[in-house]
Amino acid sequence: MILYVVGIGPGHPGGMTLEAKAALEQCGVIAGYTVYTALLRQHLPEKEYYSTPMRQEEERCRWALLSAAAGKSVALVCSGDAGIYGMAGLLYQLRASLPEAAEVEIRVIPGVTAANSGAALLGAPLTHDFAVISLSDLLTDAETIWERVRAAAESGMIICLYNPASRKRKTYLRTACDLILRYRRPETVCGYVRNIGREGETSGVLTLAALRDFAADMFTTIYIGNETTIQVGGHMVTPRGYPAERTQTSAAPVGGSGRIVIFGGTSEGTALYRHCMAYGVSAVICVATAYGAQTLEEARETYAEADRQTGAEAMDVEIRTGRLTAEEMERLVVSEHAPVVLDATHPYAQEATANIRQACAASHVPYRRVRRTVLEAHAQDRQAGTFFFDTIGDAVLFLSGQPGNILVTTGSREIRAYTALPDFRNRLYVRVLPEPDTIRTCMDLGIAGRHLSAMQGPFTEDMNYGFLKEFDIRWLVTKQSGGPGGFYEKRSAAVRAGAGLLVIRKPDEDGITLREAIAILEEMRK
């Protein structure tokens, strides 16, 4: 007695595996959801069919088990893969509770799930790590769904969403996009496929900002890219960074034959570094701190291991650590014959940006500022208890008239400004990077002991909340640094702890997006 549970793929015969076709052809009875059995009737009209509507999955599985126990040759069908949001798990559970079906052997026949078949229509969006999440709350509570969406967004993985909307869940896709926008840029490349493998099949590529207002339904599969995902000829593509991809191109760098110079130390800088490795672009990337160099070295090791395994040559990407003056930057740019300089330093590192601009102007090398997109317009940022200031001085002036302890997370360079606060030695707590010079600066200003936390992020919401509760913090000061700077975790923690949130606005800046900077790297492949 064998019961086949068969994943029939997206719905058309061409998308079905040979193993699935063989199982269906040898079975006399096919059971399944009404929509799926209707699809099969067109191609296997001679079979006996048993179907039930939505929400009668348990009845359908029970019938299939008992029919197989009675000697019938049964195939229970599922769209896509039977083990991915399918009936395979429920069948095993029910068999354990049905003594009369105890001898039935369950054989799971894999199928092509929507994530795979839809991705093929869009191009190649899933060539790196990805997460699949269903937005249906029939079997999973909404709170759990949103926590999984948030975690996937924070992880940097590509996200594939099943069941993005229905008549009762019209706003779920928008809610998911709002959560993801906390960690990804509005211009993030996304895609959708509707009615995969069926009549009326449509697909398209759009931005995350546009996806927020997209009219999806239960037959739509959504793909949300990460910081590396690009649009190539109308297709959605996430580069993997294979050594072959990095060595088989031969286009000379645009604008010169030297190494591109990147000033980083941010998530944007790290993304550009990874793309230099992926595209085979000769580059020098400069970071001010040892931690910035460590982050890049970890990314380098990933590629070095791949190179060792494939025998590919190492990429010509050099990491330089330490702060440079404008004159030192100019000498570097000239000595490297840089075709262009990409400034991906922190948006608040205005002195560094001024020096880089000066160096490029003096050496007549094209300068491109890579700006960070931060949306202040999120409704969560306008909630009571959140205050925006243009400068740290303005925030300090405000705090001078407010009681309670203060946690400052705006960096070590501006710590001196907070010493103007009344009784700052008792009220002020700071969190800075664990670097000797930084710690020494704080201690010289009189900030030490429990008032000085030297730790390296990123910090989760729970970690931030722990800080606030441990030190009885009434005010949390942060910069408007967006997802890469941990802004949203700080904001959520402040809300939980009942602390006021003081936000130093990101300086206005012109420049290009990370996506446009990556396009420059693509043009400069070896």
Side-chain angles (χ1 to χ4, degrees), residues 148-220:
R148 289 172 179 173
V149 170
R150 188 204 62 76
E154 184 180 14
S155 74
M157 288 190 289
I158 298 92
I159 302 172
C160 181
L161 297 178
Y162 285 10
N163 308 312
S166 67
R167 284 178 295 178
K168 294 183 179 180
R169 297 182 293 104
K170 294 181 180 180
T171 63
Y172 273 37
L173 178 57
R174 173 173 291 189
T175 299
C177 289
D178 284 342
L179 283 171
I180 297 167
L181 279 165
R182 297 182 182 182
Y183 303 93
R184 304 190 186 180
R185 294 167 178 77
E187 61 268 24
T188 297
V189 178
C190 300
Y192 70 89
V193 183
R194 180 184 282 118
N195 294 324
I196 301 172
R198 305 172 192 173
E199 184 178 353
E201 177 183 271
T202 57
S203 63
V205 178
L206 70 173
T207 66
L208 179 55
L211 181 64
R212 185 177 180 274
D213 297 314
F214 180 74
D217 57 25
M218 287 288 287
F219 299 103
T220 306

Side-chain angles (χ1 to χ4, degrees), residues 228-471:
T228 69
T229 306
I230 56 177
Q231 186 173 171
V232 181
H235 294 93
M236 183 179 178
V237 177
T238 302
R240 179 75 185 276
Y242 288 109
E245 293 177 343
R246 312 200 302 268
T247 57
Q248 290 179 354
T249 54
S250 58
V254 175
S257 58
R259 296 196 292 184
I260 188 172
V261 174
I262 302 170
F263 291 91
T266 59
S267 60
E268 291 84 1
T270 302
L272 293 175
Y273 174 78
R274 288 172 176 159
H275 276 77
C276 285
M277 302 292 285
Y279 296 139
V281 177
S282 294
V284 176
I285 181 163
C286 302
V287 293
T289 66
Y291 170 71
Q294 177 186 343
T295 301
L296 297 180
E297 290 290 357
E298 290 172 355
R300 180 197 292 275
E301 186 57 32
T302 301
Y303 288 101
E305 179 60 28
D307 291 341
R308 285 193 292 269
Q309 293 179 6
T310 61
E313 296 182 3
M315 293 296 100
D316 182 20
V317 184
E318 179 185 352
I319 302 170
R320 296 193 182 183
T321 309
R323 301 185 189 279
L324 302 177
T325 65
E327 292 74 20
E328 290 170 331
M329 292 176 178
E330 180 183 349
R331 287 196 292 272
L332 170 64
V333 170
V334 171
S335 66
E336 293 295 339
H337 303 286
V340 66
V341 170
L342 296 179
D343 177 7
T345 58
H346 199 283
Y348 293 88
Q350 294 174 296
E351 180 182 346
T353 288
N355 288 340
I356 299 167
R357 287 180 183 272
Q358 179 181 329
C360 289
S363 56
H364 305 288
V365 173
Y367 167 86
R368 298 291 184 271
R369 171 64 185 164
V370 183
R371 68 176 187 267
R372 175 176 294 180
T373 301
V374 178
L375 298 182
E376 182 177 328
H378 281 304
Q380 299 95 326
D381 290 342
R382 295 197 294 265
Q383 57 192 301
T386 301
F387 304 86
F388 285 86
F389 299 92
D390 291 326
T391 67
I392 288 177
D394 293 337
V396 170
L397 184 62
F398 171 84
L399 288 169
S400 296
Q402 304 296 328
N405 291 342
I406 303 160
L407 173 62
V408 172
T409 63
T410 54
S412 60
R413 288 198 164 193
E414 299 88 359
I415 292 298
R416 183 178 298 276
Y418 297 96
T419 61
L421 289 167
D423 197 22
F424 79 89
R425 284 184 173 84
N426 293 322
R427 299 178 57 203
L428 189 64
Y429 294 79
V430 301
R431 190 170 72 196
V432 296
L433 291 173
E435 298 177 349
D437 290 345
T438 297
I439 295 172
R440 189 176 304 111
T441 296
C442 292
M443 295 183 69
D444 289 344
L445 291 171
I447 303 168
R450 282 171 53 85
H451 291 259
L452 174 59
S453 297
M455 298 179 64
Q456 176 59 58
F459 299 97
T460 64
E461 177 185 329
D462 287 340
M463 293 176 70
N464 284 307
Y465 177 76
F467 266 90
L468 300 180
K469 299 302 290 184
E470 174 68 21
F471 301 116

